[in-house]
Amino acid sequence: MFNDFKSDGFMLMLVIAVIIFVTGQSLFFLIKALKRGKQLGLSRDSLKNTITSSAVFSIAPAVGIAVTVLVLSVALGYILPWIRLSVIGAIQYEVPAAEAAIEAAGVSGGIGREITDPKTFATVAWVMTLGSVLPLVLIPIFLKKIQKSISGAVNKNAKWADTMSAAAFIGLIAAFLGRGIAGLGEKTEVGAEIYGDGAGVLSLVAIVSSVVYMLILQLLNKKLKWKWLDALAMPLSMLLAIVTVFLVAHFLPDVAKIEWRY
C-alpha cells in the first residue's frame, strides 16, 4: 500500500497537515463562539444545547462526505478524496470533476478504474482543487452583488426564481440518471470490456434502490414525525443503495455483469 504514490509518505503528510489545520480552525472558532456567547449572557445549558444540536446535524453531511470518499477511492485511493473533502467539496462536484479530468487525460474507465499514472493523478488533483478554490475567491468579492441580483429577481417574480432553481437541480439529477440508465461504457486499448463501466443491472439497481429508500425514509419522517431524519434521509438512502449494489454484485455476480451499454 505504502509503495503506491497515491498513499505514500508525502500524501500521508499532506492529509495529516490538512486534518490538523481544519481541526484547529474548528476548535478556534468554537472557543471564540463560547466566549462570545458568555459575553452576551447566554446560559450554560443554551450553549450546550447549541453545540449538541450542531454536532448532530453535522452527521448528515459527514455521511455524504464518507460516501463520496468511497466512490472516488477506486480511482484515486483514499487519501486525495480525504484531503479534498476535509476542506471543501461535495459529491455533486468532486465526482464530475474527477471524471472530466480522467477523460481529458485519455484514460478509459472513469472513476471506476484505478489510476496508475502519476501525471493523470496529478491532473485530477489539480482540477478538483482549483475548481473549489475559485468560489472561495469569488464569494467574498461578489457575494453582496449576487445576493442583491437574486433578491431583485425573486421580488419581481418569485415563481420564476423557484422554477429556475428547480430546473437547475433537476438538470443535475438528470445527468446522473442518464449516465446510469444509458451511459455508454468505454473500451480498453485492446477492446476488452470494462466491467461495471456502462449502464447495466448494477447502475439501475443503484438508481432504483436509492429512490425507494429515499421514499421510505421520507414516509417514516412524515408518519412518525422524526424531524432528525430530514437531514439524514439523503445520505442514508445513498449508503443503503451502496450496500444493495454490493449485495447484488456479491450474491448475483452473473446478473450484476449484465450491461446494455458497453
Side-chain angles (χ1 to χ4, degrees), residues 24-36 47 51:
Q25 185 184 55
S26 301
L27 291 175
F28 172 79
F29 284 108
L30 175 61
I31 294 171
K32 296 285 285 186
L34 287 173
K35 289 182 178 179
R36 182 57 178 164
L47 293 173
I51 294 173

Side-chain angles (χ1 to χ4, degrees), residues 140-162:
I141 299 174
F142 299 106
L143 179 59
K144 289 185 178 180
K145 293 182 179 179
I146 294 173
Q147 286 180 328
K148 288 181 180 179
S149 300
I150 294 175
S151 297
V154 171
N155 292 332
K156 290 180 180 178
N157 193 334
K159 291 184 178 180
W160 175 250
D162 292 340

Side-chain angles (χ1 to χ4, degrees), residues 11-254:
M11 294 298 295
L12 286 173
M13 289 176 60
L14 282 181
V15 72
I16 291 172
V18 169
I19 291 172
I20 291 174
F21 176 79
V22 172
T23 304
Q25 185 184 55
S26 301
L27 291 175
F28 172 79
F29 284 108
L30 175 61
I31 294 171
K32 296 285 285 186
L34 287 173
K35 289 182 178 179
R36 182 57 178 164
K38 291 178 180 179
Q39 290 175 357
L40 294 174
L42 298 177
S43 67
R44 184 181 183 89
D45 290 338
S46 178
L47 293 173
K48 183 179 179 180
N49 291 335
T50 300
I51 294 173
T52 302
S53 60
S54 298
V56 171
F57 281 102
S58 68
I59 294 175
V63 172
I65 288 171
V67 171
T68 308
V69 171
L70 291 174
V71 170
L72 294 171
S73 63
V74 176
L76 304 174
Y78 289 99
I79 293 183
L80 178 59
W82 192 3
I83 293 173
R84 289 286 311 111
L85 293 158
S86 294
V87 183
I88 185 173
I91 192 169
Q92 295 93 334
Y93 166 74
E94 302 296 339
V95 173
E99 287 186 328
I102 293 172
E103 183 179 349
V107 179
S108 60
I111 60 172
R113 188 179 183 187
E114 181 183 5
I115 293 177
T116 56
D117 179 22
K119 292 183 178 180
T120 302
F121 180 80
T123 300
V124 175
W126 276 109
V127 170
M128 294 169 67
T129 303
L130 291 177
S132 292
V133 168
L134 189 60
L136 298 178
V137 176
L138 295 178
I139 289 175
I141 299 174
F142 299 106
L143 179 59
K144 289 185 178 180
K145 293 182 179 179
I146 294 173
Q147 286 180 328
K148 288 181 180 179
S149 300
I150 294 175
S151 297
V154 171
N155 292 332
K156 290 180 180 178
N157 193 334
K159 291 184 178 180
W160 175 250
D162 292 340
T163 301
M164 291 297 294
S165 177
F169 182 76
I170 292 172
L172 178 65
I173 298 300
F176 285 101
L177 290 177
R179 174 67 180 171
I181 296 173
L184 181 64
E186 300 181 22
K187 302 289 184 179
T188 61
E189 291 77 3
V190 295
E193 180 182 346
I194 301 172
Y195 172 62
D197 180 63
V201 170
L202 284 184
S203 62
L204 191 61
V205 167
I207 293 171
V208 174
S209 62
S210 61
V211 171
V212 171
Y213 289 133
M214 187 67 179
L215 292 174
I216 293 174
L217 292 173
Q218 287 181 332
L219 182 62
L220 289 174
N221 183 26
K222 183 178 179 181
K223 295 292 185 181
L224 302 178
K225 307 297 182 182
W226 290 350
K227 295 298 182 183
W228 57 269
L229 198 56
D230 284 338
L232 291 174
M234 181 175 290
L236 281 177
S237 65
M238 293 167 61
L239 282 176
L240 291 171
I242 290 175
V243 172
T244 302
V245 170
F246 172 79
L247 293 175
V248 171
H250 182 75
F251 292 105
L252 299 172
D254 294 333

